[in-house]
Amino acid sequence: MSDSDTTMDAGGGLRTPIVAVLGHVDHGKTSLLDKVRGSAVTSGEAGAITQHIGATAVPLETISDIAGRLVDPDDFDLPGLLFIDTPGHHSFSTLRSRGGALADIAVLVVDVNDGFQPQTLEAIDILKRTQTPFIVAANKIDTTPGWNPNPDTPVQQTLAEQSDRAEQRLNESLYEIIGELSDNGFSADMYWRVQNFRGNIGVVPVSAETGEGVPDLLAVLMGLSQRYMKEDMSIDTAGAGAGTVLEVKEERGFGTTLDVVLYDGSIRTDDTIVVGGKNDPIVTDVRALLQPRPLEEIRTEKRFEKVDEVTAAAGVKIAAPDLDEALAGAPVRVVRDRPEEEVVEEVRQELADISVDTAENGVVVKADTLGSLEAIANALEEAEIPIVRAEVGDVAPRDVAVASTAEEVTEEVILAFNVDVLPDARQEAGDRNIRLFEDDVIYQLIDEYEEFVDEIEREQQ
Ligand code: GDP
């Protein structure tokens, strides 16, 4: 695989828009991504998709192949779409409001039978806060009673061809979703009636099972990117790379590595990089840039191959010394053509913008990424709950030690979002009577804590 294969460089300096897929658990995020990948593979285009670290790139020709008459490649000069592979919390909590959003555009997946659920609302909150444009994939339309699938035509037409009963049933569900969006402050409608996608949310009925609506979804994503976001996609491919850490991972033979989505410029094997860390920004030299090998080789050979350069937008694994303290959700910058100190200062500033205000007394919060930590801190602030310590990472004994110094029972508490509790920390929390609240839905985590506070207050009266 050559470098140009992995990056889909348009030549004209336009990069691939980065797409995140969000939504409530079980509403079909993974299935939808799989369907997009599957459709790309079966479209028969040579090199239909390229698998990146943490992302999948679908080139314009393949999108046009899948979408048929809905996408005429001559109308577009964007190179395709890059889908972030880890759907749900992980990618959306890493969406950054400042210093470069990870995703340019989002697909909010909503199960037509289930409607809006806590993580749907949570996703909407984050999309609002980060001002990320999005569309809604109203998924599982195939489960509508009496639905007569026709995967080969655009879904608007299929919908019109249903029996009256099926059409009516589905329309009811779809209008419920449109109503929920409107309750949340968005003007929304079925995508074929939306003229201006800037500020108006298009709803695309889809089935991740049959593939119906996938062509429509890709067409709307391409249209939206091409019409409204072209300026944001213009990059200097030779410029210093900028990206966001998706994950910090041990990798055999490479030590601690970073899975990064690069959204600007390029990164090369001889580059020095600055990465957001637990304390100060980390300055280190790239040891290797790694891409996944083609799928069929994974089992027979080593999983990664080394590449010399990666150009945005792309997912890449970076191996380098001293990454142990790196943070998921933190910025990564290549030092090129300007002083290292300036880049370090920029990363430090960006981290300071994210970091959470802590008080002298309050609860301990642990979360999986900087983005989720920030989202929880905002929610706690709204609920007027003070925080004494907020960090990315698993719950460790030292967190229990901090919680034990609290003056109030209601503050002898650790809120753990999407992280593990280390066994000795759990043991110690038990011994010291420290309450652990664990959840992967922000609203629920805070609700559980507030119920506990209410209970304590009732007891004290
Ligand atoms: P996620 O948690 O949002 O990633 O949801 P998954 O993609 O894991 O889907 C949850 C369940 O719903 C799985 O059993 C899927 O097979 C099923 N599912 C997802 N999309 C569809 C769909 O469009 N139609 C039907 N019938 N089932 C679906």
Side-chain angles (χ1 to χ4, degrees), residues 129-141:
R129 190 159 48 80
T130 54
Q131 298 186 343
T132 307
F134 68 100
I135 60 174
V136 169
N139 190 32
K140 308 199 188 183
I141 57 170

Side-chain angles (χ1 to χ4, degrees), residues 24-32 87 139-143 206-209:
H24 194 71
V25 63
D26 282 346
H27 280 197
K29 300 176 292 296
T30 312
S31 309
L32 192 60
N139 190 32
K140 308 199 188 183
I141 57 170
D142 62 290
T143 60
V206 301
S207 165
E209 182 77 25

Side-chain angles (χ1 to χ4, degrees), residues 92 283 337 456 461:
F92 89 58
V283 181
D337 307 328
I456 298 276
Q461 274 165 11

Side-chain angles (χ1 to χ4, degrees), residues 115-153:
F116 272 41
Q117 295 297 325
Q119 282 164 303
T120 320
L121 292 166
E122 195 170 284
I124 288 222
D125 264 4
I126 294 176
L127 292 170
K128 261 191 200 167
R129 190 159 48 80
T130 54
Q131 298 186 343
T132 307
F134 68 100
I135 60 174
V136 169
N139 190 32
K140 308 199 188 183
I141 57 170
D142 62 290
T143 60
T144 306
W147 183 260
N148 191 12
N150 190 354
D152 296 329
T153 58

Side-chain angles (χ1 to χ4, degrees), residues 163-354:
S163 69
D164 288 348
R165 190 172 69 101
E167 192 186 356
Q168 194 185 343
R169 277 290 287 272
L170 184 61
N171 273 327
E172 274 168 24
S173 314
L174 293 171
Y175 279 101
E176 219 160 281
I177 291 173
I178 289 170
E180 294 262 25
L181 284 163
S182 140
D183 291 347
N184 281 279
F186 293 102
S187 116
D189 207 337
M190 301 307 299
Y191 84 87
W192 52 84
R193 282 200 288 268
V194 176
Q195 300 292 331
N196 172 357
F197 281 88
R198 176 137 271 181
N200 297 305
I201 310 298
V203 176
V204 186
V206 301
S207 165
E209 182 77 25
T210 65
E212 291 168 280
V214 170
D216 311 58
L217 188 78
L218 293 173
V220 175
L221 285 171
M222 277 310 289
L224 216 167
S225 312
Q226 177 79 21
R227 242 190 291 166
Y228 302 107
M229 292 155 56
K230 235 171 89 175
E231 303 86 71
D232 306 341
M233 299 304 137
S234 135
I235 59 161
D236 169 15
T237 46
T244 302
V245 179
L246 273 184
E247 266 188 271
V248 184
K249 257 197 214 158
E250 279 301 312
E251 214 63 74
R252 209 159 46 149
F254 296 103
T256 307
T257 64
L258 304 179
D259 289 1
V260 167
V261 169
L262 195 73
Y263 56 75
D264 200 2
S266 67
I267 183 167
R268 303 173 192 145
T269 38
D270 56 359
D271 277 328
T272 296
I273 54 170
V274 181
V275 185
K278 278 181 189 143
N279 299 306
D280 259 339
I282 300 159
V283 181
T284 184
D285 293 324
V286 175
R287 188 188 286 153
L289 299 173
L290 304 165
Q291 291 282 20
R293 286 178 185 276
L295 291 174
E296 62 268 23
E297 287 182 38
I298 285 179
R299 271 177 211 87
T300 52
E301 279 188 69
K302 286 188 198 142
R303 290 167 59 210
F304 305 112
E305 75 176 338
K306 291 186 185 178
V307 292
D308 295 331
E309 182 176 13
V310 173
T311 309
V316 59
K317 183 183 282 293
I318 301 175
D322 304 323
L323 293 177
D324 291 335
E325 302 270 288
L327 290 172
V332 180
R333 297 279 180 280
V334 168
V335 180
R336 201 184 290 161
D337 307 328
R338 58 188 182 133
E340 182 182 301
E341 252 326 295
E342 200 178 303
V343 183
V344 169
E345 198 38 53
E346 190 178 289
V347 169
R348 185 176 287 136
Q349 194 51 51
E350 218 176 291
L351 284 174
D353 284 347
I354 307 169

